[in-house]
Amino acid sequence: MFRFEDPIYLYLLAVIPVLVIIRLLMVHQQKKRLRRFGDLELVRQLMPDVSRFRPAVKFYLLLAALALLIVMVARPQFGTKISHEKRTGIETIIAMDVSNSMLAEDVAPSRLDRSKMMVENLVDHFTNDKIGLIVFAGDAFIQLPITSDYVSAKMFLSSISPDMITTQGTDIATAINMAVNSFTQQEGVGKAVIVITDGEDHEGRAIEAAKDAKAKGMRVYVLGVGSPNGAPIPIGDGEYLKDNTGQTVMTGLNEQMCRELAQAGGGAYIHVDNNSNAQQQLDTELDKLAKKEIESTIYSDYDEQFQAVGIIVLLLLILEICILEVKNPLLRRISLFKRSPKPAAILLLLMLSVLAQAQSDRQLVRQGNKQYRLGNSAEAEVLYRKAVEKNPRNAQANYNLGNALMLQRKDSLSISQLEAAAKLETNPIRRAQAYHNMGVICQQHQMFGEAIEAYKESLRNNPTDHETRYNLELCKRQQKQQQQNQQNQNKDNKDKKDNKDKQQQDQQKQEEQKKKDEQKKQDQQKKQDEQKMSRENAEQMLNAAIQEEKQTQERMKKAQQQAGKRVLQKNW
């Protein structure tokens, strides 16, 4: 298959007819000037060595060289590998429970790790199938949109942990509904939703969601992980999760709920324990789904063909230099040496040096592509970086470097490289792919606003990309749900704050009332003390008066006794 890597440069070919018109006008003006000297045939006889056709030949040789140079800049390529493949496969969305209960170790090494091992083995058995990944706890979000890139699926799978979702709990219904909306619109393909959970549904509505999925032609399979007897939830350092009363929390597998969910979804329930029977049962169930056959022609490993075009340009320039405007070149041999080929030679050397530079960075890109296909994203990143260092304006090197960084979860660096590639890229299809990948990264990090803008920019460059259009609609739904959840959370926070303020006010009122009661009690006590003191003082005063009265009577009695004994002497 033949193609141009940078077809936008082909618009420069419009210069060719303009130059032809200018050439014809100049020839016409030259004939008019010659007619001023006399008859045209007579003037030509006076110039027997001047050729009428050689200047035109030289002009058209230069014109052809210019046209081929423009074609060379557009980078012609041929696909070296052509394959006609018939692919049959299914679409599978895996909804994995990442709540804290999945850390229980009743299944070795833990429920979550065992689930990840099963999914990885499932991906290894996939050949032409598509897979997507959703994680959920009290909330749910898409970890990996549906894709055939199994390397990315394994990479995103390894990074799953309960810390990904702050809202704890187990909302299976939200995960199933999100999975139903994550499939492609292709008909006739078997579609399966695999729910991996311990069956602790805290929100309800899961049975209704499974029935809805079945009504839309999808099967819901449930992998129940854990033991019905229950196990504690480790939180590190040998400690286990405890409730408010200080008791150790025990979490067990709810098999009854898992069976009801699988039955409602038209699938099967599979118990996951420490043996490999669950893996075999799951593979057998998925093999029963309908697989659609698609025949596709694939071109890969496009090779640059500018070298051959460059050789033709070089030959045309040499031929143009060798052709003289005189009829007898033997008599004008000296003029051949007088014509200095240095400008053309310098131009050719510069062109060849640029081509050598371009060939060097493109060779590095091809080597990086080989490592990328082998799954060695780190080695591919090194080669792509070398290519970018040699030619920072190589859009393909920047784009491939962004993809290699994305596989290594270096998302911020990946976005910057993809953005640079989109700005440098002249092909709208490849520019659309760069914006699409940027949207996928933002969507995985729940940056729905940025993802929506990236998907819109991708559709502006490639309006026929249905996958991007689907991701855009999905992202809008997720953004709306996120905003609704945020509003609900803000409302809950406001209610909690109001309740807290009310409690504080009630507590403050109780404290004020308590202070008033204490003050009143103190006043009563003080009053009682004052009354007690007044009574004691009165008693003391009464006792003192009685005592004084007694002393007065005693003195009077004593005085009367002394008056009877006294002898009065009269002064006669």
Side-chain angles (χ1 to χ4, degrees):
M1 180 180 179
F2 179 79
R3 74 172 187 181
F4 288 99
E5 181 70 17
D6 300 317
I8 193 170
Y9 291 109
L10 295 177
Y11 288 112
L12 295 175
L13 291 175
V15 178
I16 302 300
V18 176
L19 294 176
V20 172
I21 294 173
I22 294 174
R23 167 69 181 176
L24 294 176
L25 292 175
M26 292 179 63
V27 170
H28 180 68
Q29 291 294 329
Q30 185 180 19
K31 288 181 179 181
K32 287 179 64 175
R33 288 194 296 268
L34 287 175
R35 288 193 183 98
R36 295 177 185 176
F37 293 98
D39 185 64
L40 219 74
E41 292 297 329
L42 180 60
V43 173
R44 284 172 180 167
Q45 290 176 9
L46 295 174
M47 298 182 296
D49 294 336
V50 177
S51 175
R52 296 175 56 184
F53 304 104
R54 293 191 181 188
V57 172
K58 290 170 65 65
F59 171 76
Y60 288 113
L61 285 175
L62 287 174
L63 207 62
L66 177 61
L68 291 176
L69 186 62
I70 293 173
V71 172
M72 184 174 61
V73 173
R75 296 174 60 186
Q77 296 177 341
F78 271 110
T80 58
K81 290 184 180 179
I82 304 176
S83 59
H84 301 275
E85 296 183 359
K86 290 185 178 180
R87 298 186 173 187
T88 57
I90 62 173
E91 295 181 3
T92 304
I93 300 291
I94 297 174
M96 182 174 293
D97 187 354
V98 293
S99 58
N100 288 331
S101 61
M102 292 293 287
L103 296 175
E105 298 175 348
D106 49 355
V107 177
S110 69
R111 295 179 183 178
L112 182 60
D113 291 336
R114 178 62 179 166
S115 302
K116 291 159 70 172
M117 291 167 60
M118 279 199 64
V119 176
E120 186 173 356
N121 293 333
L122 179 65
V123 173
D124 289 336
H125 290 123
F126 281 174
T127 53
N128 300 314
D129 308 298
K130 290 186 177 182
I131 186 173
L133 191 58
I134 293 175
V135 294
F136 70 93
D139 197 0
F141 71 89
I142 297 177
Q143 174 75 354
L144 177 68
I146 191 163
T147 180
S148 298
D149 188 356
Y150 303 139
V151 177
S152 299
K154 288 185 179 180
M155 181 190 67
F156 287 115
L157 180 66
S158 62
S159 63
I160 291 177
S161 68
D163 298 333
M164 301 178 69
I165 299 180
T166 56
T167 305
Q168 283 301 313
T170 307
D171 191 355
I172 300 178
T174 300
I176 294 177
N177 292 330
M178 186 175 292
V180 169
N181 296 323
S182 298
F183 288 103
T184 65
Q185 302 301 318
Q186 188 175 5
E187 297 181 356
V189 180
K191 299 177 181 180
V193 179
I194 301 177
V195 180
I196 304 178
T197 181
D198 51 17
E200 292 186 350
D201 185 18
H202 296 159
E203 304 296 333
R205 302 176 291 108
I207 303 298
E208 291 76 7
K211 291 180 179 179
D212 183 61
K214 181 181 178 182
K216 294 180 179 179
M218 304 163 192
R219 301 291 183 182
V220 179
Y221 299 88
V222 181
L223 302 184
V225 188
S227 170
N229 298 326
I233 303 173
I235 57 176
D237 298 331
E239 298 291 331
Y240 294 96
L241 185 65
K242 300 182 183 298
D243 57 15
N244 296 331
T245 62
Q247 298 295 324
T248 301
V249 177
M250 300 294 291
T251 171
L253 172 63
N254 188 352
E255 286 193 292
Q256 180 63 28
M257 185 269 177
C258 291
R259 288 192 179 93
E260 293 176 356
L261 183 63
Q263 184 178 3
Y269 165 68
I270 300 174
H271 181 211
V272 179
D273 48 20
N274 291 317
N275 54 47
S276 60
N277 295 334
Q279 186 74 55
Q280 297 174 0
Q281 294 178 25
L282 179 60
D283 293 338
T284 303
E285 292 293 336
L286 294 180
D287 288 338
K288 298 178 183 178
L289 295 178
K291 298 183 179 182
K292 187 175 182 180
E293 185 176 90
I294 303 173
E295 183 175 354
S296 58
T297 302
I298 300 174
Y299 297 86
S300 59
D301 290 339
Y302 286 90
D303 280 345
E304 303 283 350
Q305 303 298 324
F306 66 88
Q307 300 92 338
V309 181
I311 292 174
I312 297 174
V313 172
L314 182 61
L315 292 175
L316 290 175
L317 292 175
I318 294 175
L319 185 60
E320 191 275 335
I321 292 172
C322 293
I323 295 177
L324 303 178
E325 293 184 359
V326 296
K327 291 182 178 180
N328 191 354
L330 295 176
L331 299 177
R332 300 292 181 182
R333 188 177 300 173
I334 299 176
S335 65
L336 177 62
F337 293 98
K338 289 183 179 179
R339 292 170 58 88
S340 175
K342 290 184 179 179
I346 293 174
L347 178 62
L348 287 174
L349 289 175
L350 290 174
M351 183 178 63
L352 291 175
S353 64
V354 172
L355 291 177
Q357 178 73 11
Q359 185 179 8
S360 177
D361 65 81
R362 289 167 189 164
Q363 181 66 26
L364 289 170
V365 170
R366 284 195 290 270
Q367 294 176 3
N369 292 343
K370 185 180 295 184
Q371 295 295 328
Y372 186 89
R373 286 192 294 269
L374 294 174
N376 302 326
S377 56
E379 290 79 358
E381 177 191 352
V382 174
L383 293 169
Y384 291 143
R385 287 193 181 277
K386 290 181 180 179
V388 172
E389 290 176 0
K390 287 185 175 293
N391 184 10
R393 299 194 62 79
N394 190 329
Q396 184 180 3
N398 281 278
Y399 174 75
N400 292 355
L401 176 57
N403 290 337
L405 292 169
M406 183 172 64
L407 283 181
Q408 301 177 67
R409 297 304 299 272
K410 301 176 182 178
D411 293 334
S412 58
L413 296 175
S414 176
I415 289 179
S416 63
Q417 289 299 142
L418 291 172
E419 187 175 5
K423 292 179 180 178
L424 295 172
E425 188 58 68
T426 57
N427 189 321
I429 302 299
R430 289 194 296 276
R431 191 187 304 123
Q433 292 175 351
Y435 282 113
H436 176 87
N437 290 352
M438 291 168 59
V440 170
I441 295 175
C442 294
Q443 186 176 2
Q444 290 169 355
H445 288 275
Q446 299 186 8
M447 301 165 59
F448 298 122
E450 293 81 353
I452 289 173
E453 292 301 323
Y455 287 141
K456 287 182 179 179
E457 192 65 32
S458 178
L459 289 174
R460 291 189 188 102
N461 290 274
N462 184 16
T464 61
D465 192 342
H466 299 295
E467 184 177 356
T468 302
R469 193 177 304 279
Y470 168 75
N471 286 357
L472 175 61
E473 295 301 323
L474 179 62
C475 207
K476 288 180 179 179
R477 293 180 185 177
Q478 291 175 335
Q479 185 187 40
K480 186 176 180 181
Q481 183 179 2
Q482 186 186 49
Q483 292 174 352
Q484 186 177 2
N485 293 338
Q486 185 66 30
Q487 291 175 358
N488 294 335
Q489 186 175 1
N490 293 336
K491 184 178 179 181
D492 293 340
N493 293 337
K494 185 178 179 180
D495 293 340
K496 290 180 181 178
K497 185 178 180 181
D498 293 341
N499 293 333
K500 186 176 181 181
D501 293 341
K502 187 176 180 180
Q503 290 177 358
Q504 289 179 352
Q505 291 177 359
D506 295 340
Q507 186 176 3
Q508 187 175 2
K509 289 180 179 180
Q510 291 177 359
E511 291 178 355
E512 290 178 355
Q513 185 65 32
K514 186 177 181 180
K515 288 181 180 179
K516 289 181 179 179
D517 294 341
E518 290 179 355
Q519 184 66 33
K520 185 176 181 181
K521 187 176 181 180
Q522 290 177 358
D523 293 341
Q524 291 177 354
Q525 184 68 30
K526 184 177 180 181
K527 188 175 181 180
Q528 292 177 358
D529 293 342
E530 289 177 353
Q531 291 178 355
K532 185 177 181 181
M533 290 177 63
S534 299
R535 189 181 300 111
E536 291 178 353
N537 292 335
E539 291 178 353
Q540 290 178 357
M541 292 177 64
L542 180 61
N543 292 332
I546 294 173
Q547 188 69 22
E548 185 176 0
E549 179 68 19
K550 287 182 178 181
Q551 292 177 357
T552 302
Q553 291 178 0
E554 289 179 356
R555 284 197 301 272
M556 291 177 64
K557 186 178 180 180
K558 188 176 181 181
Q560 289 175 0
Q561 292 176 357
Q562 290 179 355
K565 294 179 179 182
R566 186 173 56 183
V567 177
L568 295 177
Q569 294 180 1
K570 294 181 179 179
N571 188 7
W572 298 98

